[in-house]
């Protein structure tokens, strides 16, 4: 019998806290479905009290996910716990994850609470969470810098109150693997079988995966991690690295295993990269573009003679299909539909029809359509924001001698509006002209462009972050085209549509003023 380590994925919550990684509800649902296919035990779908958008995404994920447990984060506050409980209510398997800081520095300066008050609050939070669900996880935030005796005291109290998973986060990525291992060993001796010990490691010193693995070797039976190691600052522990390390080093881990279907690792990584616009670095372990590429002649020769000369894992084991069929101009609807399904997308007839039309348009311009192109074609249209404004035409004049200018046609309420303007550069001219046409003035905070595939006909994906109203959170927009300028214009218009949709949502039921951060 395998000794299972539960995989708790927090790509949709801690991962989303990566700068530029905000996702809309539709995008989160696609990722959640893929995480379920990957075999993740628990999906942390968000932080319900943070914003109406987060609440909506968690609720909708709870309605569609059947195998994995759906979890919402909640501070140790009544309002947060109630929002979490309501958001996950439709889920078949549900969990509330509540937390409070336990390190001296956090308690004194952030919470301004005495240690006894922190324990009291934690106990109340767990008891209240148990009114909504049986499965409650409690996290000692900044446990990596907390005192062992205090940790034991609070852990005792929350287990007594009904928590069945105790999470030990190294919130600031401070610990070294041997220290993390010693801490988990001592806590395992203390907790015994009363609760599952979980770890949640951040990567500030590049040790998140090593710290998670040492924790597993010392008794942790849940690891919290993200796809591609996404997450705030230097990110969280990368799931693919943890899972493949356990699978590859059976000599070290023995009976310890996970329930992850490793063949879904690569497709999941690509989906998350396509949706967030954040590409893993090329030399990233397991899922980087070069992770299984051999450049030097000596290595190539060795691998051809015997694969294991330079490879400790097989590309097929992570679902990297080096011979993937490439679609093209002559591929029909059936071939396209099959590939879309194989890539893990669950589209209704209308969505499939629209995606196929976009595929045909692209195939006219691009000889080979890769899996990444298809993922982009689908995910770039995944928006819950209605298209209040729609880009119809773009014409630019970026001659190096003259003043950059752009002419833009936008459809709004059934009418086409055209205008032209100038700017400090071509992109600036495009965005300023869209501002004039729409009547909304945006301030660009971030602009990223990525080539989806290789070659001169590669698709360009543009992600912009724009503030349309001072004091409000920046919104994200995505645009995709073979032409970078058109992708930029689409991204800017999509950000404007997201802003209008968010504004409508906020003015609706709750009247919240913006997204709270933890
Ligand atoms: O890093 C951290 O401490 C967290 C907690 C909320 C679990 O993300
Ligand atoms: Zn975290």
């Amino acid at each position: 019998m395998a000794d299972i380590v539960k995989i708790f994925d927090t790509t949709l919550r801690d991962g989303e806290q990566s700068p530029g990684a905000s996702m809309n509800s539709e995008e989160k649902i696609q990722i959640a479905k893929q995480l379920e296919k990957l075999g993740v035990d628990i999906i942390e779908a968000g932080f319900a009290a943070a914003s109406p958008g987060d609440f909506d995404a968690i609720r909708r994920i709870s309605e569609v996910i059947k195998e994995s447990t759906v979890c919402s984060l909640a501070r140790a506050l009544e309002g947060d716990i109630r929002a979490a409980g309501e958001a996950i209510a439709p889920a078949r398997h549900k969990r509330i994850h509540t937390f409070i800081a336990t390190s001296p520095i956090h308690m004194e300066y952030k919470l301004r609470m005495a240690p006894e008050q922190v324990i009291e609050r934690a106990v109340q939070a767990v008891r209240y969470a148990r009114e909504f669900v049986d499965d409650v996880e409690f996290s000692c935030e900044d446990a990596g810098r907390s005192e062992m005796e205090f940790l034991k005291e609070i852990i005792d109290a929350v287990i007594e109150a009904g928590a069945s998973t105790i999470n030990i986060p190294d919130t600031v990525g401070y610990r070294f693997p041997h220290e993390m291992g010693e801490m988990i060993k001592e806590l395992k001796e203390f907790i015994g079988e009363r609760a599952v010990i979980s770890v949640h490691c951040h990567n500030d010193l590049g040790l998140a995966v090593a710290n998670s693995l040492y924790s597993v070797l010392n008794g942790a039976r849940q690891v919290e991690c993200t796809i591609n190691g996404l997450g705030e600052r230097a990110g969280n522990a990368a799931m693919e690295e943890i899972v493949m390390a356990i699978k590859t080093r059976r000599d070290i881990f023995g009976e310890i295993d996970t329930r992850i279907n490793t063949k879904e690792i690569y497709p999941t990584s690509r989906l998350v990269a396509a949706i967030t616009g954040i590409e893993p670095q090329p030399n990233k372990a397991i899922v980087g573009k070069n992770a299984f590429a051999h450049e030097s002649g000596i290595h190539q020769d060795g691998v051809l003679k015997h694969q294991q000369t330079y490879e400790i894992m097989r590309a097929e084991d992570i679902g990297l299909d080096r011979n993937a069929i490439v679609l093209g101009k002559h591929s029909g609807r059936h071939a396209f539909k099959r590939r879309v399904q194989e890539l893990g997308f669950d589209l209704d007839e209308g969505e499939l029809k629209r995606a196929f039309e976009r595929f045909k348009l692209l195939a006219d311009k691009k000889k080979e359509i890769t899996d990444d192109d298809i993922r982009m074609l689908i995910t770039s249209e995944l928006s819950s924001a209605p298209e209040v404004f729609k880009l119809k035409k773009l014409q630019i004049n970026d001659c190096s001698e003259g003043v950059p200018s752009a002419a833009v046609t936008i459809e709004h309420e059934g009418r086409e509006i055209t205008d032209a303007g100038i700017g400090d550069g071509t992109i600036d001219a495009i965005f300023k002209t869209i501002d004039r046409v729409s009547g909304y003035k945006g301030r660009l905070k971030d602009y990223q462009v990525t080539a989806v595939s290789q070659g001169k006909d590669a698709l360009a994906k543009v992600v912009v972050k724009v503030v349309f109203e001072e004091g409000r959170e920046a919104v994200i927009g995505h645009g995709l085209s073979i032409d970078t300028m058109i992708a930029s214009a689409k991204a800017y218009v999509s950000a404007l549509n997201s802003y209008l949709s968010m504004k409508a949502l906020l003015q609706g039921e709750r009247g919240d003023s913006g997204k709270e951060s933890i």
Side-chain angles (χ1 to χ4, degrees), residues 451-496:
V452 174
S453 39
Q454 275 144 19
K456 64 178 173 27
D457 60 356
L459 269 179
K461 167 145 185 166
V462 173
V463 182
V464 293
K465 208 168 173 186
V466 191
V467 175
F468 283 99
E469 189 180 329
E470 289 312 321
R472 273 231 200 274
E473 209 196 336
V475 284
I476 311 274
H478 299 223
L480 185 73
S481 171
I482 213 155
D483 181 301
T484 311
M485 294 304 139
I486 295 179
S488 305
K490 281 185 170 176
Y492 196 79
V493 173
S494 116
L496 175 57

Side-chain angles (χ1 to χ4, degrees), residues 13-14 73 97 99 139-142 167 169-171 200 202 224 236 518:
R13 199 277 297 170
D14 226 345
L73 184 69
H97 173 193
F99 73 99
S139 278
C140 313
E141 191 194 7
D142 204 17
N167 186 35
D170 185 22
T171 304
H200 173 114
H202 278 269
E224 302 197 352
N236 289 59
I518 307 162

